[in-house]
Amino acid sequence: MSVPLIKNYIDGEWAKSDSTVFGDVYNPARGEKIAAVAYGTAADVDRAVAAAKEAFTFWRETPPLTRARYLFRLKEAFEENFEDIAEVLTTEHGKAIDEARGEVRRMIENVEHATGVTTLMCGYTLEDIAKNIDCYGHRQPLGVFGCIAPYNFPAMVPWWFLPYAVVTGNTFVLKPSEQVPMTQTKIMEIVDEVGFPEGVINMVHGSKDVVNAMLAHPDIEGISFVGSTPTARHIYRECGNTGKRVQALGGAKNIVAVMSDADLEQGMPSLLTSFFGCTGQRCLSGSVLVPVGDAADRVVEQFAAAAKTVSIGDGIDEQTFMGPLISNAHRERVLGYIAKGIEEGANLILDGRGIEVDGYPNGFFVGPTVFDNVTPDMTIAREEIFGPVVSIVRAPDMDAVVDLINSRGFANAACIYTASGAVAREFKYRVKPAMIGVNIGIAAPMSFFPFGGAGNSMFGDIKGHGQEIFQFYTDMKVVIERWY
Ligand code: NAD
């Protein structure tokens, strides 16, 4: 069966790569190939960066409010194409359509937030720093920025960065994940229709070669990266070597504590979403469930019972709560972790292996899986699984919860369910992760707050979106001025 070939978007044109290496894009619910993508080359990156560099000369002189107006137009166009984007996303990624809609909404919110450039990009001034001398600092764009994205949020993650980079006057080269290139292709069609000036926004598809060419490119000023921790480390190190600005967001192993006073009836829907939403393929997914003190038996029983009710199927079906995993290779990896959990002696109380979904015999499905009596040293309590596998580690008290959280190298998010403000405060105060949920299972900051973890979950200091990202994409020029 012949499938469409995904193209690059460079200098306002759709361009075929001259690469001879191709990857397959799947509908993971059906296990069918739906497109092919060329794994771009250093020459593709050169072309995109040259276009972006050229565009920077006029784009940086375009007034910020005029730049913001392109984003206003884009926001409207995204609203008009909202359902189409969500559908492409679910088709190539597999997540439930309602989650895809939520993701597209968060993408648009970043466009909305970035339109605040005329206040958020401002510098500051002080008169008379010495007799008759004034001082002011203003923020200037730097040039071409690159973005390298993961597969799990094909629409949203690149837009944690892109709107802010371009609204501050920089130009942009995006490399989406090679596993989900169709969503950003759909989005770039909209960018093209809206009439962004040529070369301001460019996209090169591919894999490691594109990434490494971006890292080595002398005309790329900085990189925004999101993906797994080993890749984030590589990006951070290489950007250090070449002197680029960098923000590199990595993997996670998020712990969700449930105290004995927690309202489980109210909390259960958000607990289920935390562990099984997006089939566990979120950097904010709960992975380790920690019932504390005498709540343990009740929490385990009610959680396992609720997990059995999760509906599994094609994400495009409105009834589906949990879709497939992204690929067969990832499915095998998740099954490997389940085998490891059994081998290391954890108690498998809900087994998602061998799940069959009617009409989808080739889909990459794994059902909700729950292990009880997991110990902190077991592999399934330490490593990122990125699937619907829950490790329950029972803890006697808050000290044990804090020790468990702070002993993981990852420090992305942590959540607590409790009825006590004092207990919640102690938790927030003592744990290392930088995104905290209180009676919230997915601690996802909105576009006007920074998104990113700590420890091995984040390399660099300025996180995704929020107000600080205006600093990442600009440099403060300070002028000290005296007139005679
Ligand atoms: P990944 O690290 O495999 O890939 C991310 C990007 O890096 C892709 O574009 C890929 O092409 C590229 N890449 C992969 N290996 C590379 C290599 N050796 N050299 C150069 N480039 C390489 O991550 P993924 O599997 O696409 O995404 C899932 C991961 O992303 C999970 O670990 C998840 O926790 C993490 N994630 C983190 C956040 C966050 O905010 N911290 C958000 C979303 C996803």
Side-chain angles (χ1 to χ4, degrees):
M1 191 176 76
S2 82
V3 290
L5 176 67
I6 309 283
K7 290 188 181 147
N8 294 331
Y9 182 66
I10 298 175
D11 207 12
E13 303 281 340
W14 293 99
K16 239 173 150 176
S17 166
D18 36 20
S19 168
T20 52
V21 184
F22 298 90
D24 295 319
V25 184
Y26 282 86
N27 174 327
R30 299 189 174 279
E32 280 171 11
K33 289 179 197 171
I34 51 174
V37 61
Y39 284 1
T41 61
D44 292 319
V45 173
D46 277 345
R47 281 191 279 274
V49 175
K53 191 178 174 188
E54 173 69 25
F56 180 65
T57 56
F58 64 82
W59 187 243
R60 71 156 292 186
E61 292 175 359
T62 305
L65 188 56
T66 309
R67 295 195 297 252
R69 287 188 185 125
Y70 285 96
L71 294 185
F72 282 116
R73 298 223 288 273
L74 201 51
K75 180 220 158 26
E76 288 309 315
F78 282 163
E79 298 288 359
E80 282 158 24
N81 289 274
F82 191 93
E83 280 298 318
D84 289 351
I85 302 170
E87 242 174 65
V88 174
L89 198 170
T90 285
T91 305
E92 70 170 347
H93 179 279
K95 68 176 67 179
I97 186 70
D98 225 30
E99 293 204 27
R101 291 183 187 120
E103 177 180 344
V104 176
R105 177 55 55 211
R106 293 240 154 166
M107 172 186 93
I108 295 174
E109 284 163 3
N110 280 284
V111 175
E112 292 170 323
H113 180 221
T115 59
V117 63
T118 48
T119 43
L120 292 166
M121 194 180 165
C122 288
Y124 50 88
T125 293
L126 188 65
E127 263 184 352
D128 290 325
I129 57 161
K131 181 113 180 101
N132 280 337
I133 299 179
D134 303 328
C135 185
Y136 54 92
H138 48 222
R139 302 209 151 270
Q140 294 191 328
L142 291 153
V144 182
F145 276 84
C147 173
I148 299 152
Y151 80 80
N152 64 330
F153 282 90
M156 176 185 73
V157 166
W159 292 76
W160 283 354
F161 308 105
L162 190 158
Y164 307 101
V166 301
V167 86
T168 48
N170 303 284
T171 54
F172 207 73
V173 177
L174 166 66
K175 190 207 86 69
S177 164
E178 62 275 35
Q179 299 191 81
V180 288
M182 294 167 66
T183 306
Q184 287 300 327
T185 301
K186 171 75 195 160
I187 289 167
M188 288 302 152
E189 285 168 11
I190 300 166
V191 166
D192 191 61
E193 275 165 27
V194 158
F196 254 85
E198 289 162 7
V200 172
I201 300 174
N202 307 275
M203 176 172 67
V204 179
H205 289 289
S207 173
K208 285 183 208 171
D209 290 349
V210 173
V211 173
N212 292 330
M214 287 169 77
L215 296 176
H217 205 294
D219 291 331
I220 292 188
E221 298 294 331
I223 295 281
S224 301
F225 171 85
V226 181
S228 62
T229 289
T231 321
R233 275 188 204 284
H234 167 65
I235 303 282
Y236 192 63
R237 198 178 299 122
E238 287 308 305
C239 287
N241 283 339
T242 52
K244 294 190 198 315
R245 284 192 178 195
V246 59
Q247 43 184 185
L249 284 66
K253 187 76 183 170
N254 303 316
I255 292 176
V256 178
V258 179
M259 308 307 286
S260 51
D261 62 355
D263 183 336
L264 272 189
E265 203 184 317
Q266 299 259 28
M268 196 54 77
S270 67
L271 279 172
L272 284 186
T273 304
S274 176
F275 286 92
F276 302 121
C278 207
T279 323
Q281 299 166 103
R282 283 188 181 125
C283 69
L284 293 177
S285 289
S287 180
V288 179
L289 178 65
V290 184
V292 183
D294 56 15
D297 287 341
R298 184 170 54 94
V299 173
V300 172
E301 193 185 307
Q302 291 187 24
F303 182 77
K308 283 185 192 144
T309 67
V310 164
S311 60
I312 303 160
D314 186 345
I316 213 76
D317 176 350
E318 298 281 351
Q319 306 312 315
T320 295
F321 180 85
M322 197 173 96
L325 291 164
I326 185 68
S327 65
N328 201 37
H330 188 49
R331 184 172 172 275
E332 290 301 320
R333 193 171 163 270
V334 171
L335 293 177
Y337 275 112
I338 298 175
K340 194 83 184 160
I342 296 168
E343 187 191 313
E344 292 185 358
N347 180 15
L348 183 60
I349 57 171
L350 183 63
D351 187 353
R353 296 172 297 175
I355 191 114
E356 282 177 17
V357 178
D358 250 8
Y360 295 85
N362 301 318
F364 309 137
F365 294 100
V366 173
T369 299
V370 182
F371 281 103
D372 194 8
N373 299 117
V374 176
T375 56
D377 54 320
M378 286 182 187
T379 308
I380 57 170
R382 288 186 289 108
E383 296 186 8
E384 182 175 42
I385 301 172
F386 225 49
V389 180
V390 183
S391 304
I392 298 180
V393 178
R394 296 169 180 236
D397 52 26
M398 177 63 87
D399 285 345
V401 173
V402 172
D403 284 351
L404 180 69
I405 293 175
N406 290 349
S407 64
R408 310 297 93 174
F410 297 111
N412 212 40
C415 300
I416 186 166
Y417 283 71
T418 179
S420 160
V423 167
R425 184 179 188 277
E426 184 183 354
F427 180 84
K428 289 179 282 184
Y429 192 83
R430 292 178 65 191
V431 298
K432 281 186 196 162
M435 293 179 278
I436 304 293
V438 178
N439 297 314
I440 298 275
I442 302 282
M446 289 184 74
S447 60
F448 23 93
F449 286 91
F451 193 114
N456 293 340
S457 297
M458 163 94 206
F459 303 94
D461 48 5
I462 297 187
K463 299 178 177 182
H465 55 64
Q467 296 179 16
E468 293 81 357
I469 201 151
F470 286 85
Q471 294 176 24
F472 184 75
Y473 289 123
T474 56
D475 201 21
M476 175 73 96
K477 183 171 280 181
V478 177
V479 180
I480 305 162
E481 197 171 79
R482 168 164 55 195
W483 292 95
Y484 298 108

